[in-house]
């Protein structure tokens, strides 16, 4: 059973790789090799090894929370948790090798235990659709934000208010700003129907620039009160949330470009998910931010080329 499931995963990975093409696969292989080398260096000494393992396991935990096939596997297989564990251990191989090489056996054991516990997490958020004044204020053209805010408004509101009321703590606003910055990244996962793209009646360049501009405007409205509150209480280090804000909006713009570089109506293209994940990882590992910026230039031209197929009449 496990062998069959892993074989299916291998075939799925092969289809994604075929869709990406040889050049992008080589590029991602290079990035993966760099991350593996960085992981090897960070696990060489404490406490960096603890941080590296924590980030790695946090990614696995998020995967368990958001994997779309969880319900299917629960219905189809009695021992579905064994399948989860086998898949996660396969993904954890780089970390396990590094920990074993550096003889961090306690952390190695803890990694196995935590991976086992993650397989028992079966939480599914119950999204409540809401239609408040906030959604009505958001422009109709920003349907990604309308949809995302409709299901995340309570969470975003609680986090935002918490950040404002605790802005006198140095770490409060940067942490809240980071959370609010990565939350909209999930708004751009799925390609909308082509009719919604045509409704803008814009050429490809104007369309892309408009989507990025509105993303920046909406996130600026959301984050500017937090940044101002931080600057009031900590004027000597005002640049911390400002720099964080700049990094976040460039990463959000990158996600918009990735979405339309691989745009296909009503689907989640594999290439967009892979390179979108790279942008998210760049927020966690700052050394990858320059790479995200370079890729943004590449995906800008690719998104324009891709959208010209649909929007050529408006050019």
């Amino acid at each position: 059973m496990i062998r069959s499931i892993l074989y299916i995963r291998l075939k799925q990975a092969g289809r994604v790789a075929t869709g990406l093409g040889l050049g992008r696969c080589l590029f991602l292989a290079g990035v993966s090799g760099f991350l593996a080398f960085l992981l090897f260096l960070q696990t060489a000494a404490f406490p960096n090894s603890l941080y590296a393992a924590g980030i790695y396991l946090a990614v696995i935990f998020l995967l368990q929370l958001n994997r779309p096939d969880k319900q299917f596997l629960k219905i189809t297989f009695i021992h579905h948790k064994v399948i989860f564990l086998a898949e996660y251990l396969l993904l954890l191989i780089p970390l396990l090798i590094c920990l074993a090489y550096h003889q961090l056996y306690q952390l190695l054991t803890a990694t196995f235990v935590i991976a086992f516990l993650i397989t028992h997490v079966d939480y599914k958020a119950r999204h409540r659709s809401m239609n408040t004044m906030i959604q009505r204020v958001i422009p109709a053209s920003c349907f990604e934000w309308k949809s995302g805010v409709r299901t995340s408004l309570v969470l975003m509101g609680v986090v935002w208010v918490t950040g404002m009321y605790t802005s006198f703590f140095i770490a409060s606003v940067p942490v809240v700003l980071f959370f609010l910055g990565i939350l909209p990244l999930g708004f751009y996962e799925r390609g909308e129907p082509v009719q919604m793209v045509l409704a803008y009646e814009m050429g490809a360049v104007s369309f892309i620039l408009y989507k990025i501009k509105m993303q920046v405007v909406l996130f600026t409205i959301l984050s500017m009160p937090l940044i101002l509150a931080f600057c009031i209480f900590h004027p000597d280090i005002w640049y911390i949330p400002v720099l964080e804000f700049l990094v976040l909006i460039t990463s959000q713009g990158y996600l918009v470009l990735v979405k339309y570089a691989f745009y296909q109506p009503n689907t989640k293209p594999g290439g967009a998910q892979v390179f979108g994940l790279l942008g998210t990882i760049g927020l966690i590992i700052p050394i990858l931010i320059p790479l995200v910026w370079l890729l943004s230039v590449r995906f800008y031209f690719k998104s324009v080329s891709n959208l010209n197929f649909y929007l050529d009449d408006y050019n």
Side-chain angles (χ1 to χ4, degrees), residues 144-163:
E144 299 95 345
W145 274 77
K146 277 185 174 291
S147 176
V149 170
R150 184 174 291 113
T151 57
S152 308
L153 180 60
V154 174
L155 177 61
M156 294 177 69
V158 170
V159 172
W160 191 91
V161 171
T162 301

Side-chain angles (χ1 to χ4, degrees), residues 274-292:
V274 171
F275 282 99
L277 178 61
L278 178 61
T280 305
I281 293 175
L283 294 175
I284 302 174
I285 306 176
I287 196 173
L288 294 179
I289 290 297
L291 178 61
V292 171

Side-chain angles (χ1 to χ4, degrees), residues 134-176:
I134 295 178
Q135 286 103 297
R136 292 193 286 271
V137 170
I138 297 174
S141 59
C142 303
F143 55 85
E144 299 95 345
W145 274 77
K146 277 185 174 291
S147 176
V149 170
R150 184 174 291 113
T151 57
S152 308
L153 180 60
V154 174
L155 177 61
M156 294 177 69
V158 170
V159 172
W160 191 91
V161 171
T162 301
M164 286 296 295
Y165 276 93
T166 60
S167 56
F168 49 87
F169 291 115
I170 292 180
S172 176
V173 168
V175 171
V176 168

Side-chain angles (χ1 to χ4, degrees), residues 22 47 76 146 263:
L22 179 60
T76 308
K146 277 185 174 291
Y263 171 75

Side-chain angles (χ1 to χ4, degrees), residues 46-78:
F46 187 86
N48 289 358
S49 57
L50 186 62
Y51 299 149
I55 292 174
Y56 209 128
L57 288 167
V59 173
I60 299 296
F61 178 74
L62 291 175
L63 177 61
Q64 171 68 8
L65 288 180
N66 297 290
R67 57 184 301 162
D69 62 342
K70 185 162 45 178
Q71 189 65 27
F72 169 77
L73 292 175
K74 286 171 58 178
I75 296 173
T76 308
F77 300 101
I78 299 177

